[in-house]
Amino acid sequence: MFLPRKILEEKLRNILAEDIGQGDITTALIVPADSTAKAEIISKETGVIAGMEEAKILLESFGFNVEILVSDGEKVKAKRILMKISGDTRTMLSVERTLLNIISRMSGIATTTRKLIEKIRKAKLKTKVACTRKVAPGLLYFDKKAVLVGGGDTHRLHLDDMILVKDNHIIVAGSIKKAIEKVRKDASFSKKIEVEVTKVKDVSAAARARADIIMLDNFSPEQTEKAVKLLKKERIFGKVLLEASGGITAENILAYASKGVDIISLGEITHSVKALDISLEITKSNKKG
Amino acid sequence: MFLPRKILEEKLRNILAEDIGQGDITTALIVPADSTAKAEIISKETGVIAGMEEAKILLESFGFNVEILVSDGEKVKAKRILMKISGDTRTMLSVERTLLNIISRMSGIATTTRKLIEKIRKAKLKTKVACTRKVAPGLLYFDKKAVLVGGGDTHRLHLDDMILVKDNHIIVAGSIKKAIEKVRKDASFSKKIEVEVTKVKDVSAAARARADIIMLDNFSPEQTEKAVKLLKKERIFGKVLLEASGGITAENILAYASKGVDIISLGEITHSVKALDISLEITKSNKKG
Amino acid sequence: MFLPRKILEEKLRNILAEDIGQGDITTALIVPADSTAKAEIISKETGVIAGMEEAKILLESFGFNVEILVSDGEKVKAKRILMKISGDTRTMLSVERTLLNIISRMSGIATTTRKLIEKIRKAKLKTKVACTRKVAPGLLYFDKKAVLVGGGDTHRLHLDDMILVKDNHIIVAGSIKKAIEKVRKDASFSKKIEVEVTKVKDVSAAARARADIIMLDNFSPEQTEKAVKLLKKERIFGKVLLEASGGITAENILAYASKGVDIISLGEITHSVKALDISLEITKSNKKG
Amino acid sequence: MFLPRKILEEKLRNILAEDIGQGDITTALIVPADSTAKAEIISKETGVIAGMEEAKILLESFGFNVEILVSDGEKVKAKRILMKISGDTRTMLSVERTLLNIISRMSGIATTTRKLIEKIRKAKLKTKVACTRKVAPGLLYFDKKAVLVGGGDTHRLHLDDMILVKDNHIIVAGSIKKAIEKVRKDASFSKKIEVEVTKVKDVSAAARARADIIMLDNFSPEQTEKAVKLLKKERIFGKVLLEASGGITAENILAYASKGVDIISLGEITHSVKALDISLEITKSNKKG
Amino acid sequence: MFLPRKILEEKLRNILAEDIGQGDITTALIVPADSTAKAEIISKETGVIAGMEEAKILLESFGFNVEILVSDGEKVKAKRILMKISGDTRTMLSVERTLLNIISRMSGIATTTRKLIEKIRKAKLKTKVACTRKVAPGLLYFDKKAVLVGGGDTHRLHLDDMILVKDNHIIVAGSIKKAIEKVRKDASFSKKIEVEVTKVKDVSAAARARADIIMLDNFSPEQTEKAVKLLKKERIFGKVLLEASGGITAENILAYASKGVDIISLGEITHSVKALDISLEITKSNKKG
Amino acid sequence: MFLPRKILEEKLRNILAEDIGQGDITTALIVPADSTAKAEIISKETGVIAGMEEAKILLESFGFNVEILVSDGEKVKAKRILMKISGDTRTMLSVERTLLNIISRMSGIATTTRKLIEKIRKAKLKTKVACTRKVAPGLLYFDKKAVLVGGGDTHRLHLDDMILVKDNHIIVAGSIKKAIEKVRKDASFSKKIEVEVTKVKDVSAAARARADIIMLDNFSPEQTEKAVKLLKKERIFGKVLLEASGGITAENILAYASKGVDIISLGEITHSVKALDISLEITKSNKKG
């Protein structure tokens, strides 16, 4: 997920523009036009930091000198200084909130993702943790990037990305078999094909129709185990990837991971984010640049 | 916060465009071009619904017939049908995720807001519950609107909206008094002036400098009580609005509300949203329109 | 009204893009690709200069060296050099007209605003002079900023900014009282409330309903005087701001100001601008950079 | 200058979006979501109306029924109803100001243009009245269209439109002759070539170099007369178009027109507009649609 | 590649806007504002038609009635009527060229794609024909969609779509093996991995490193044959997809297809398009709608 | 056709953004964040180079050092290095394809244009070669600019540029005479007027109605000769420009040019482009910047 700077700058500028409106009136009244300041961005909680690349590009494009002290993906303790910045005071105070909102949300996502992965790794399992497209509206890039920084899998980046046959597609197609056949026939060679199944018995139908990945939708850990057994019995286990999705939480994730699925995806990583507490503190302020 | 339809349509279309990329390839492969479907949007959890207006405008602008069954701000139980829609199946499946992301996030925000307010009202208190500008980046409109639907106060809609003198402004200005004087002198008559204070003793300085609102930043309930007493003693209590902000949660909110502040604002309403679980279920699908 | 540079750059670039079309064909035919030039921006009339900040950002973003000789808000005589610039000749000639249009319009607005204010100050009055939302379509930022530079009050920056109950709102609500009650009940604590009244007797209704500001719409100086007397009689004078608006010109402005209103707003400051005559003169031209 | 509806809609929506910000808060608080209203747009002054086409497209794209009673270019007296509209009340009050700003500015431009033309026609002269590119920044389309509606000539629509060799181009090229030669050699066959001259003697140089149009820049009426005589003497008069520009006002326009120039252009038509007073009056309001 | 109508409308409107500039001046001068016309879009050559969906959406969004007579992907002979349209004459003439440019280019691409595929199918081969990202700048959607309509494979829709390790990536990574290892380790499970190889011997390295697809870059037919033999010998043939790319033309395509590759990709399908000759003919014109 | 850098940057960034999607995933996985590289852009075929200015601006805006070795319009042989660039490796690989697509298409257009012109010049003829508006959708600027670089005439840059009365306009107007009269009466003095005629006899009608240019649409060389003779007989030849258009190819272009037309325009220069083969080769790669 590498975006050249100018592309990212535009995304960031649009976010800022909404917040600024016709301009920061408080700052204009209090801060002289030519004053400069130094400041530190500080994490007030323990967590995994994300958004450093985005913050740097936002800040540099607004003319700041930026010194990054913590890399994307690094775990920090409370009170850790993430970056030091210096530049125009008016601009600093105008972008402060937007900047912190980006780092806070992205770090919150990375922190949650990392915790889930660590839980799985401690149990000596290799299951991947993935997010879904259940992001904050319009934040697909930022939310997916944060998952990646946290060590997770980004899953589909948008609807043109992988073929994912979901419940409503199957209703329209008539059956899993018909849906996959249609897709197999005309899909680009460059795409993987995933199918969502809601019952254990559909798993072998999906596997036999040569799906690359099968999503076990809202399966209980027991159903998941049955699905794995079925595939082993049919000697397809290991030839198709299995993704568990739906109803999985930090509490029950090991119950799923231990059944042998390859990927576990959770909507809540991105739709129910707990932001990390990040603040900007001015350390020095000069009236004249 | 009334946005004419065309303005809102453009915001919504931009959100959708990011998710769609070069087009929904799964749907294009499975669903015939002229098929239509009926579907229901269902809340799978108890909560306060928001985003109905936004959903309706999104759906109608994409050609759907929409029947709204639940109004913005209504509290629903699990399994409640929120709206029925009918129209082009391909378009329905392409917009499904974006649509649900909007309703889920907005309803999650409204639900949390309402809970906080109900807790306060049950204690027979009139304190307002407000959000901050700590929203998901770029979602200022949607997050603030959801707070409003939940019964909360939107606070500043952007940086040109009210004058809010924060910690970093005071550092630059030199003192609370100097900051407010500068602002008083040149601010538009149309703006209120709020000042953030971090110590009890600063409260009376701020009040004497004729701030319209004083934000008690990260005060404990005890400090809050002292601030109120101070103002009463100086006979300014009731002439200036008091806003408690920072470190306030569902657990301790009554401790603050009971001290006599007018407004309690919480960043977590919008920065740490728990999305409400909403789904779209196709109830009928026709190959031919 | 402080806009970070990148936000302003985009506004300016969009304005320029409309004028440029597919490119400046005259300049491309005459001026070699690598020639540079020096030029001066000169005011050909006496007036108050505005738009220096905007011009600087536009020019610097297009690669020019810019030396500002006159600050925003400074009054100059005819023939005064406002800034010296140097850089790519082709770009200079391509942006010339857009650049001058911005400075001319903004300076025209600032000049008119200043004249009105000076007239009032000479009469030893403190009345503020404000603009309205009657701007050139799409130029809300530039027109309001110019008023500010001229010393005026920007009034509402857009429709989400302060609550202003106007004639048509009152028609819909049924009465001034009902309108203000509705607004009082649900409005954000962060907003002031202004009400437009068209008859003297409505002034006390508005004041009693606790409007923060009352706009006397199209009142004659005599009606204005009556309104003030009424408020004094009811002992509300001084507790609510009074804004005179409608039908006020440079000729009759003192008649209003002397009656004791706090603010006088005039649509013509921004809707009927007399541009200041500004020109760009090349002082040196080199074929090679 | 015919713009298909969707193109114009986008221009208009962008203008409105700036004014709306995060939404019309007053209207949202006072006007019920499903109320409708009827209203009339009325000219409060005598003038030539422009902007009816733009207003209609704006209003229809926001869902209003629109009845146009006055055509673009028609001269009306005070109190004339220009159009009747009906539709959603909230939307009506939210777009009111932007709508009126467009009609007021465009009608103001059309009115001034028409007056100048009538003055010339009364003197039995055929001279065309043209505007320049000295428009309000970003309003090239609207300002030029208004001139056209008023009966004037739009001159260049942007910088790629006709070749216009101005003073600064001549400085760079070295001489009028060199500038025109360069241009003649490489310009597209589809473009006319106009040259700006500042001295009488340069007129014949420009004509001999085969400019299609010569702009007499800041000539006095006497210089204009001399230029015409010179061309007559050299038997080029009538073979090249003459445009008088700079320092021309309503007062002295006949002095120029009577000298035999083909076109008179005035920056002030568009840079120093006097808006026509237009208002929207609600005639009926229903709470329920 | 299904794009909801509103998303496609915006792409199309932006294309049109560039061509229209400040408006169609010829049409405005000649065609009355309220005239309507009927017209036919006709193919003047034999070919495979694409762009009907896009044309319909463009035309309907500009208010036309559209009757589609030929479906996307259908092969037509010269003089075939593709669609009949009726609506506003001014709009029709303003969008004519943009409309025809879209259909002509897309149909040209579909026609070439189909010819290549038919050649291969006649030889009883199943090889897929794919395009590359060598499209006209900015026309990724339209060019890829046209290939799809012609029966071809769209390959990557953008850079986030499949992992394609190209020559320059291998230079940076150090070797094919290192490049694929890096990618295997961290890539999303949802992505296929393709590797570009330039020598026969690298084919087995790529296959052993478990690439999903190997691109034989600029291989001669003989080298291609050797690569296939090598894979057969190593018993990997059939387990990895083979794509031939570079230097392949209509003339030599069978030489490649017959060697057993799965996909043949050609840049020229999209970078060197021969447009199909399409015209719009007015069949009826009414001055009054 | 000179576009200031920032305007062109935005066009280029939008083109790139479509290709990048949510980011270059291959490059992100393989190339370290801080590595730099040097590369050469090489023409692999003989041709006329265009797009150097655009490439330079694109590259510099993404932070590259750029050394241009070949100027726009220069003819090169195969293997010629066009430019050397150095900078961030990730960005280089992400923009590579878009960059090459622009240079390839523009150079392809310039090469074809130049060949046609050289053919005409070798025959000692002065006829201009022009393109039309039959460009790739949305690429009006780039396609026209490439024609210019190749030595051709850009013809109309958009629909507001010159008045061109085409077949469908004449159908609506009733006759050539009526069409030109309407246009003559109201057109801006700044515009030339061209008329398209389809029969020899219409040529004198168009000339007598004082068209500036007559387009002989789909005339055979014989009809073209007759048209010229007719104009000579009526003594109008040389007073009106003649443009031959429609059905003209590299093969028959001399047959037209030799008849005495002033301009020959060909749609295929821009609608059926043969891209020039251009590649980017990394010459040095460092892991650390």
Side-chain angles (χ1 to χ4, degrees), chain B residues 128 130 148 153-158 160-162 184-194 212-213 241 243 263, chain C residues 128 130 148 153-158 160-162 184-194 212-213 241 243 263:
Chain B
K128 286 191 171 194
L148 193 63
D153 191 298
T154 52
H155 217 293
R156 282 200 293 179
L157 295 175
H158 26 218
D160 65 10
D161 189 343
M162 169 174 67
R184 269 272 157 240
K185 189 170 154 290
D186 292 320
S188 169
F189 72 93
S190 62
K191 308 292 184 190
K192 286 195 175 175
I193 297 171
E194 177 164 13
D212 295 302
I213 308 147
L241 293 173
E243 174 183 353
I263 306 116
Chain C
K128 286 191 170 192
L148 194 63
D153 190 299
T154 51
H155 217 293
R156 281 199 294 179
L157 295 176
H158 27 216
D160 65 9
D161 189 342
M162 167 173 68
R184 269 272 157 239
K185 190 171 154 286
D186 292 320
S188 169
F189 73 91
S190 62
K191 308 291 183 190
K192 287 195 176 175
I193 297 172
E194 176 165 14
D212 295 301
I213 308 148
L241 293 174
E243 173 184 353
I263 305 115

Side-chain angles (χ1 to χ4, degrees), chain C residues 3 18 35 57 85 100 102 111 128 142 155 163 174 177 206-207 217 230 260 265 272 285:
Chain C
L3 280 187
E18 191 195 16
S35 75
I57 287 176
I85 66 174
L100 296 179
I102 291 169
T111 301
K128 286 191 170 192
F142 295 99
H155 217 293
I163 290 162
K177 190 158 171 286
D217 185 40
L230 187 61
S265 63
S272 297
S285 162

Side-chain angles (χ1 to χ4, degrees), chain C residues 25-26 29-31, chain D residues 163-166 169-188 191-197 201-215 240:
Chain C
I25 55 171
T26 310
L29 288 167
I30 291 178
V31 183
Chain D
I163 290 160
L164 175 40
V165 181
K166 306 199 71 173
H169 293 110
I170 294 168
I171 289 172
V172 175
S175 73
I176 290 178
K177 190 159 170 284
K178 281 184 192 164
I180 304 187
E181 273 168 8
K182 273 197 180 181
V183 159
R184 269 272 156 239
K185 190 169 154 289
D186 292 319
S188 169
K191 308 292 184 190
K192 287 194 176 177
I193 298 170
E194 177 164 12
V195 184
E196 184 180 298
V197 300
K201 65 170 185 170
D202 289 341
V203 173
S204 59
R208 278 194 305 266
R210 288 193 297 132
D212 294 302
I213 308 148
I214 299 173
M215 182 194 287
V240 59

Side-chain angles (χ1 to χ4, degrees), chain A residues 12-41:
Chain A
L12 294 164
R13 194 188 57 218
N14 288 341
I15 290 172
L16 181 59
E18 191 195 16
D19 189 32
I20 293 278
Q22 296 289 16
D24 183 342
I25 56 170
T26 311
T27 294
L29 288 168
I30 291 178
V31 184
D34 51 1
S35 75
T36 58
K38 298 190 178 196
E40 296 169 351
I41 312 286

Side-chain angles (χ1 to χ4, degrees), chain A residues 153 161 188-189 191-192, chain E residues 153 160-161 188-189 191-192:
Chain A
D153 191 298
D161 188 343
S188 169
F189 72 92
K191 308 293 183 188
K192 286 195 176 176
Chain E
D153 191 298
D160 66 10
D161 189 344
S188 168
F189 73 91
K191 308 293 183 188
K192 288 194 175 176

Side-chain angles (χ1 to χ4, degrees), chain F residues 23 34 51 53 66 70 77 123 143 149 154 161 173 195 200 242 251 266 288:
Chain F
D34 50 1
E53 186 192 349
V66 179
V70 167
K77 297 206 173 151
D143 285 6
V149 167
T154 52
D161 188 345
V195 184
V200 173
L242 289 182
E251 281 66 42
L266 304 93
K288 276 283 175 188

